[in-house]
Amino acid sequence: MGLKSFLSRPLAAYTVRQYQQWTPRPELAQQRILQELLQRGRATAFGRDHQLGAARNVREFQQRVPVRDYEALSPYFERVKQGEGSVLWPGKPLYLAKTSGTTSGTKYIPITKDSISNHINGAKDALLHYVHYSGKPQFLDGRLMFLSGSPELEEVGGIKTGRLSGISNHHVPAYLRRNQLPSYATNIIEDWEQKLDRVVDETLDQRMTLISGIPPWVQMYFDRITQRTGRPVGEVFPAFQLFVYGGVNFEPYRRKLFESIGRAVDTVELFPASEGFFAFQDQPDNPGLLLLADAGIYYEFIPAEQFFEPNPPRLTLAEVELDRNYALVVSSNAGLWGYSVGDTVRFVSLRPHRVVVSGRIKHFLSAFGEHVIGEEVEQTLREALQQFPEAEVVEFTVAPRVSEAGAEPSRHEWLVEFAQPPRDAAAFAAALDAGLRRRNVYYDDLLAGNILAPLLLTPLPAGAFQRYMRSQGKLGGQNKVPRLSNDRKLADGLLGI
């Protein structure tokens, strides 16, 4: 055992004890954080506009601060971008995290002196929890690969600006930086495929122990490794122990990734976003993600089915229930106030409060009134793949096909890129339909009433999703393919590639 792995054990134990001080009563931490936010935010432009200084409790806060998304708050974000101070939070942000979100165009999310620790400590503490509960710190002695965006930053309004993963790269602890790959010179390459080849060059002869990134882009890296060597990743990197991921549901990618590795490795799931580091998998054998209730973020939860109502309920952490989908709303020491993140979560345990990410509130398919969500189609696909073990899926998305006069009936279209197609495509499509009908009563009613026809399964040629993402300037990095669309834009783009 090396020095780093040896020293990590007492640090991990200390970190877990610190978490255990607030996890039994996270609502107390949340009450304290809200009061701190109101105290710090009242002298800002936003605070004056919304009379934050007069808000004494959560209900008075909710009366003054409506739920809004990035577009609705954009006048304040624009003032921050222009270099104005104390707009949303005292002073100026340290950084602006630039992201081409899946629910809007380019966004510039402030990261302040107070909020940067949330991003850095969230990732660090996730690894320390893994060390503590698994008893396997050896990965810290090998090479750690973070497949991320460029760390090169520009300036907007006098504020350093870049991708969140690139910003975070500047804050990797010094004791890990010597282990880190890829190199800075490789990381700043903008062309994703050129960058990927350089990453392979730099890692191929290294003792890789941890690999981290968004699953579809890590899969591309694994494919390049196998193409170059003719061997599975687990043989090329025999010390590879831990895969850390976040950003998308892992399940649709799990089988192909592990087949590429050729053996089992441990995994840790994270829930990071430009708006904050919200949760991580704190125990290796528990798929739920511990919600970080003591990290400068105040959470509210809107029942997903009520989100688009004029005045939906805004629940506190003390009011949530198990197994119900909620839209996530945050206020934080980054200067976000009543901010709709766009993600939906479902609590799988209370005390400690653990969630799974169930989808995006704006990523749903309800062209016919069915309101299908991402979690439903992902679970349906996973079930179908279990029934057809020969099939392998690279990527997929679902869109509506609305009937026109004299044309084919209305239905859902599943656009799927297979690495290996099912032996019986019609039976596979029928399994998808059956699975979705079990999970969504509205979809079941529409098919039973012959309002919708059974779904259309459209196999796409190899590389279709990569070519489409490249055409949109979104290949690699932190970009994700929406699972569901309520229109045909993505589907028609894929079919036109």
Side-chain angles (χ1 to χ4, degrees):
M1 182 180 295
L3 181 62
K4 291 177 183 177
S5 58
F6 176 77
L7 294 177
S8 71
R9 287 181 180 271
L11 178 59
Y14 171 79
T15 299
V16 170
R17 287 196 300 271
Q18 294 295 106
Y19 273 69
Q20 289 171 343
Q21 291 181 15
W22 61 261
T23 49
R25 296 292 302 277
E27 64 274 12
L28 298 181
Q30 285 285 278
Q31 292 170 12
R32 173 179 51 78
I33 285 171
L34 178 60
Q35 292 305 315
E36 290 173 354
L37 295 178
L38 294 173
Q39 175 69 23
R40 296 290 304 280
R42 64 184 182 179
T44 64
F46 183 94
R48 291 190 295 271
D49 291 347
H50 294 80
Q51 299 180 313
L52 292 184
R56 294 166 297 178
N57 53 52
V58 63
R59 299 308 170 203
E60 292 182 0
F61 165 72
Q62 291 173 344
Q63 290 168 5
R64 288 166 171 77
V65 179
V67 173
R68 287 175 284 197
D69 59 12
Y70 185 88
E71 289 80 2
L73 284 166
S74 61
Y76 291 102
F77 291 126
E78 286 299 318
R79 290 168 66 178
V80 173
K81 282 173 57 182
Q82 291 166 14
E84 184 178 341
S86 298
V87 177
L88 291 162
W89 193 253
K92 292 185 180 182
L94 285 180
Y95 303 100
L96 294 176
K98 181 179 179 181
T99 173
S100 53
T102 50
T103 59
S104 65
T106 302
K107 300 187 292 186
Y108 294 84
I109 304 296
I111 297 177
T112 66
K113 181 180 179 181
D114 296 292
S115 71
I116 186 66
S117 60
N118 162 257
H119 294 279
I120 306 309
N121 290 339
K124 172 180 65 68
D125 291 351
L127 295 180
L128 289 172
H129 274 73
Y130 168 79
V131 167
H132 180 77
Y133 285 107
S134 72
K136 297 189 285 188
Q138 294 86 351
F139 72 93
L140 290 166
D141 297 322
R143 287 288 205 169
L144 318 178
M145 203 272 282
F146 304 99
L147 200 57
S148 66
S150 171
E152 204 162 51
L153 305 179
E154 57 182 334
E155 284 209 356
V156 174
I159 304 167
K160 293 179 180 179
T161 301
R163 301 291 181 182
L164 174 64
S165 58
I167 292 170
S168 299
N169 201 279
H170 290 273
H171 293 267
V172 173
Y175 66 89
L176 292 180
R177 190 168 292 281
R178 289 183 62 184
N179 299 51
Q180 182 186 358
L181 288 172
S183 67
Y184 186 89
T186 292
N187 233 353
I188 63 174
I189 296 173
E190 288 295 337
D191 182 88
W192 173 250
E193 292 180 289
Q194 180 186 352
K195 177 175 180 175
L196 204 55
D197 284 330
R198 288 279 295 276
V199 171
V200 173
D201 291 340
E202 289 189 354
T203 57
L204 203 53
D205 61 350
Q206 298 295 313
R207 184 176 177 270
M208 304 303 302
T209 53
L210 178 149
I211 295 173
S212 174
I214 291 180
W217 310 125
V218 173
Q219 183 63 64
M220 289 181 65
Y221 167 67
F222 285 173
D223 290 344
R224 297 286 174 95
I225 291 288
T226 299
Q227 289 167 10
R228 190 84 67 90
T229 66
R231 293 186 293 159
V233 172
E235 286 186 14
V236 177
F237 302 134
F240 178 27
Q241 171 188 334
L242 182 61
F243 175 47
V244 181
Y245 65 92
V248 298
N249 187 335
F250 184 47
E251 290 306 318
Y253 306 99
R254 179 187 295 274
R255 180 177 166 185
K256 191 168 191 299
L257 277 163
F258 277 103
E259 286 182 352
S260 298
I261 297 169
R263 58 178 171 82
V265 297
D266 291 344
T267 63
V268 172
E269 182 175 0
L270 313 177
F271 183 13
S274 298
E275 293 86 354
F277 197 109
F278 302 130
F280 61 75
Q281 185 179 1
D282 61 316
Q283 295 182 356
D285 58 348
N286 191 324
L289 311 184
L290 181 68
L291 191 72
L292 303 186
D294 192 32
I297 300 173
Y298 184 77
Y299 299 97
E300 297 174 80
F301 305 89
I302 298 177
E305 70 275 11
Q306 296 178 271
F307 182 81
F308 294 102
E309 294 179 0
N311 293 293
R314 297 165 64 175
L315 307 181
T316 68
L317 195 61
E319 298 170 308
V320 296
E321 302 172 2
L322 293 174
D323 299 320
R324 188 175 186 184
N325 282 307
Y326 295 102
L328 183 63
V329 175
V330 301
S331 301
S332 76
N333 52 16
L336 303 179
W337 300 97
Y339 183 95
S340 174
V341 175
D343 292 299
T344 59
V345 298
R346 178 168 50 82
F347 284 89
V348 294
S349 75
L350 302 177
R351 290 182 175 78
H353 284 64
R354 294 191 179 98
V355 300
V356 295
V357 183
S358 55
R360 299 282 294 173
I361 194 65
K362 292 186 180 180
H363 286 180
F364 61 90
L365 204 174
S366 198
F368 314 102
E370 64 274 40
H371 207 93
V372 173
I373 63 173
E375 184 180 45
E376 291 171 337
V377 297
E378 288 172 337
Q379 289 176 347
T380 293
L381 178 63
R382 182 170 69 250
E383 182 181 80
L385 289 171
Q386 290 170 351
Q387 297 176 45
F388 294 81
E390 77 284 0
E392 293 183 15
V393 169
V394 175
E395 194 61 272
F396 79 102
T397 193
V398 186
R401 286 181 72 95
V402 180
S403 176
E404 298 179 1
E408 62 184 71
S410 296
R411 60 178 66 181
H412 288 184
E413 182 175 16
W414 288 59
L415 298 101
V416 184
E417 181 182 335
F418 290 101
Q420 180 66 40
R423 60 181 178 275
D424 186 335
F428 188 82
L432 292 174
D433 249 337
L436 192 53
R437 293 181 74 166
R438 284 196 302 275
R439 290 177 172 85
N440 188 296
V441 64
Y442 304 109
Y443 183 70
D444 182 55
D445 288 344
L446 290 168
L447 265 72
N450 294 317
I451 297 169
L452 289 183
L455 66 84
L456 174 65
L457 177 64
T458 302
L460 296 176
F465 279 91
Q466 288 185 27
R467 288 192 292 275
Y468 175 78
M469 295 294 277
R470 186 187 300 112
S471 74
Q472 302 299 304
K474 293 185 176 183
L475 184 65
Q478 306 301 299
N479 297 300
K480 295 158 277 188
V481 175
R483 289 284 176 245
L484 288 162
S485 304
N486 215 32
D487 56 41
R488 295 282 308 172
K489 181 179 178 181
L490 173 57
D492 290 342
L494 285 164
L495 292 170
I497 289 294

